[in-house]
Amino acid sequence: MTPAQPAPLRKAVVPAAGMGTRFLPATKATPKEMLPVVDKPAIQYVVEEAVSAGLTDILMITGRNKRALEDHFDRNQELERILQDKGDQDRLRKVRATNDLAALHYVRQGEPKGLGHAVLCAAPHVGDEPFAVLLGDDLIDPRDPLLARMAEVQRDHGGSVIALMEVDPAQIHLYGCAEVALTKDADVVEVTSLVEKPQPGQAPSNLAVIGRYVLSPAVFDALRDTPPGRGGEIQLTDALERLLATGDEPIHAVVFKGRRYDTGDRGDYLRAIVRLACEREDLGADFRTWLHQYVTQSLPHSP
Ligand code: G1P
């Protein structure tokens, strides 16, 4: 008998229940996932990334005030009709682009009990198969396909796969942090322990967990057993550390060296927009010229 093929990765979970308090008042009535990065809402980049990695079923974990997310990925027949009547094919194409990207599903988290709790809300939908988790604050440049590589590593090694990135040691307290051992693949390490947002000076490395995961369904049991951790919330990192401690399944990590844009706080969000706008084929040339002039002529020179 040939061994059973591992289940292919089909499902993605996108936690999107956060209140977005760092972006108030913009997020008072608008989900932070809908804030535009150039001219597309952040959530659309994330869904497009999942789709290009071959995922066909996407579950968003939402909450109050998140109706706009569902509307964005649904048809808007009135708008389509108006654009059609005007013969504006270009905008019609943009409006239609989000209609049928994937099978989208929504579940509400109800209480803000943390990222781990949000992922646990996906358990009935995911069932007994590996699944991806994509956090909307991290945008990964489509030219540096991370998720497809993680899926490949998960197929080869089983268990779960996370994504790590080297950060300035002064920043590691903002992230989950991993202790690792090398493998024969230069971009893959085996995770030996994890800690969520270590105290300054106590981090085991400068390898930060970034917001892409390919998880074994065993993480759901680990999450059920995980007590609240940092910030009084149920942390996904703590559940993964629990899973490691059982020794039942490995956790590997892809060490990402590509382009990642953080949209999680206002400064990073602005930097992401400027970088992406500079690189856009349709906007980039004019915008770069303006930006150069602005920086060299309008801003006071630093001493
Ligand atoms: C979450 C995770 C953390 C990870 C980070 C990546 O933290 O808990 O382990 O490093 O995402 O963006 P958050 O930024 O939501 O506080």
Side-chain angles (χ1 to χ4, degrees):
M1 252 178 54
T2 48
Q5 287 290 309
L9 192 63
R10 297 186 302 129
K11 293 182 179 170
V13 174
V14 179
M19 306 267 281
T21 47
R22 282 185 281 189
F23 285 87
L24 282 169
T27 47
K28 185 178 172 194
T30 303
K32 76 166 173 172
E33 295 78 11
M34 288 302 294
L35 296 182
V37 179
V38 189
D39 52 6
K40 267 201 286 192
I43 193 74
Q44 189 177 336
Y45 289 87
V46 173
V47 169
E48 286 174 349
E49 181 192 337
V51 170
S52 15
L55 306 179
T56 51
D57 178 301
I58 297 175
L59 175 71
M60 282 193 202
I61 315 295
T62 69
R64 286 171 58 79
N65 265 344
K66 300 286 182 169
R67 278 274 304 282
L69 292 174
E70 295 188 39
D71 289 343
H72 186 68
F73 293 100
D74 194 7
R75 289 197 68 173
N76 182 335
Q77 298 201 20
E78 192 187 348
L79 181 57
E80 285 185 33
R81 201 165 34 244
I82 291 168
L83 293 169
Q84 184 91 61
D85 289 350
K86 282 188 182 165
D88 192 341
Q89 294 304 324
D90 189 38
R91 293 204 172 92
L92 188 59
R93 195 178 38 76
K94 286 181 184 163
V95 166
R96 284 185 172 155
T98 50
N99 291 354
D100 302 305
L101 276 171
L104 278 144
H105 308 272
Y106 303 88
V107 64
R108 282 191 178 212
Q109 187 177 4
E111 293 167 274
K113 293 207 280 191
L115 175 61
H117 179 256
V119 171
L120 188 52
C121 293
H125 182 86
V126 167
D128 193 24
E129 56 183 285
F131 63 104
V133 175
L134 293 88
L135 306 188
D137 285 350
D138 286 328
L139 301 186
I140 303 293
D141 195 298
R143 292 165 292 185
D144 302 316
L146 169 62
L147 202 53
R149 176 67 181 135
M150 294 171 72
E152 195 173 65
V153 173
Q154 201 276 337
R155 266 196 308 275
D156 291 350
H157 294 276
S160 297
V161 178
I162 62 173
L164 296 173
M165 201 163 181
E166 280 190 54
V167 297
D168 179 343
Q171 300 294 311
I172 192 72
H173 68 283
L174 301 171
Y175 296 91
C177 175
E179 195 172 0
V180 302
L182 299 180
T183 70
K184 62 180 177 35
D185 292 319
D187 63 335
V188 179
V189 290
E190 180 159 8
V191 178
T192 53
S193 79
L194 283 163
V195 50
E196 177 67 5
K197 305 202 173 104
Q199 302 285 356
Q202 296 188 1
S205 75
N206 68 334
L207 289 169
V209 176
I210 58 170
R212 298 294 178 273
Y213 308 77
V214 175
L215 299 176
S216 142
V219 77
F220 293 128
D221 275 339
L223 280 167
R224 286 184 192 102
D225 293 341
T226 300
R230 279 234 158 246
E233 297 188 337
I234 297 172
Q235 298 292 348
L236 181 56
T237 309
D238 293 346
L240 293 173
E241 171 62 15
R242 261 187 122 78
L243 203 55
L244 272 179
T246 66
D248 292 343
E249 291 185 357
I251 300 181
H252 286 83
V254 172
V255 182
F256 184 60
K257 295 202 181 335
R259 285 156 284 196
R260 162 181 171 262
Y261 313 102
D262 187 342
T263 59
D265 79 11
R266 290 174 303 169
D268 289 332
Y269 171 73
L270 291 175
R271 281 183 276 277
I273 292 177
V274 171
R275 282 174 65 176
L276 286 166
C278 283
E279 292 178 10
R280 278 273 293 257
E281 245 172 55
D282 52 347
L283 301 167
D286 282 353
F287 186 67
R288 283 194 304 270
T289 309
W290 173 82
L291 186 62
H292 182 75
Q293 276 169 4
Y294 178 68
V295 171
T296 51
Q297 293 165 17
S298 316
L299 289 184
H301 290 291
S302 36

